Amino acid sequence: AVAGVGGQCWPVFLKFDGGRGVSAILGASAVLAPREIPATIATMVGGCALRAAPVLKDSRGKPLKERLFLEGKNSRVVPLSVGAAIVGLPVLAAVRRRPPEVVLATAANGVLLLIRRATADLESLKDHDKPASVLLNKILYDRSDP
């Protein structure tokens, strides 16, 4: 499970520049800790709902196609909720007394997600005078802009 997530994040054939591994983590976790997946997905959906609700409210009167596109200022709540759900997964697994290898594998996948967020677009660290705050933004919100 951990190797699959690592392969999604740093694929050899794409010069080690892959995705964030969220879908691979969810797929691996569905096998490793199926009872914990509903809470994980609920956390992610909650973040998406917090993002979508005000945008949909402000776009009343527009056609449905435009309302569902959810244009507007970027939100930090969606990547924060995705990160919190995945990092919280091993905690939930430990509380529910899952086997230690399940807790360790889900924790390792959470660490891989955070490392991938931190290492994506490393050029953005050079452009800022406060690289530590940029790095924190990348880890928490998966974006470089403060």
Side-chain angles (χ1 to χ4, degrees):
V2 176
V5 171
Q8 167 70 25
C9 294
W10 298 280
V12 174
F13 299 110
L14 295 177
K15 300 178 183 175
F16 301 100
D17 189 24
R20 298 302 190 263
V22 175
S23 59
I25 290 171
L26 286 177
S29 299
V31 174
L32 292 171
R35 294 182 308 183
E36 287 75 15
I37 286 296
T40 303
I41 291 176
T43 303
M44 293 179 183
V45 169
C48 292
L50 285 173
R51 162 70 173 127
V55 174
L56 291 174
K57 181 183 171 201
D58 292 342
S59 65
R60 287 187 184 161
K62 292 183 179 179
L64 183 62
K65 185 177 180 181
E66 289 180 31
R67 291 183 73 196
L68 293 179
F69 190 60
L70 297 178
E71 284 185 342
K73 184 181 176 210
N74 286 335
S75 170
R76 296 172 188 258
V77 71
V78 174
L80 184 64
S81 66
V82 169
I86 290 175
V87 171
L89 183 61
V91 174
L92 185 59
V95 167
R96 290 188 172 177
R97 299 181 190 260
R98 304 289 284 159
E101 56 271 11
V102 169
V103 175
L104 287 174
T106 54
N109 284 339
V111 168
L112 286 179
L113 172 80
L114 298 178
I115 291 171
R116 179 61 186 135
R117 282 183 172 190
T119 59
D121 188 27
L122 287 175
E123 293 293 319
S124 62
L125 290 174
K126 296 176 185 176
D127 298 337
H128 292 284
D129 55 345
K130 296 181 181 177
S133 71
V134 173
L135 189 60
L136 183 63
N137 264 347
K138 289 167 68 77
I139 290 169
L140 290 177
Y141 310 117
D142 200 14
R143 59 179 50 111
S144 300
D145 55 337

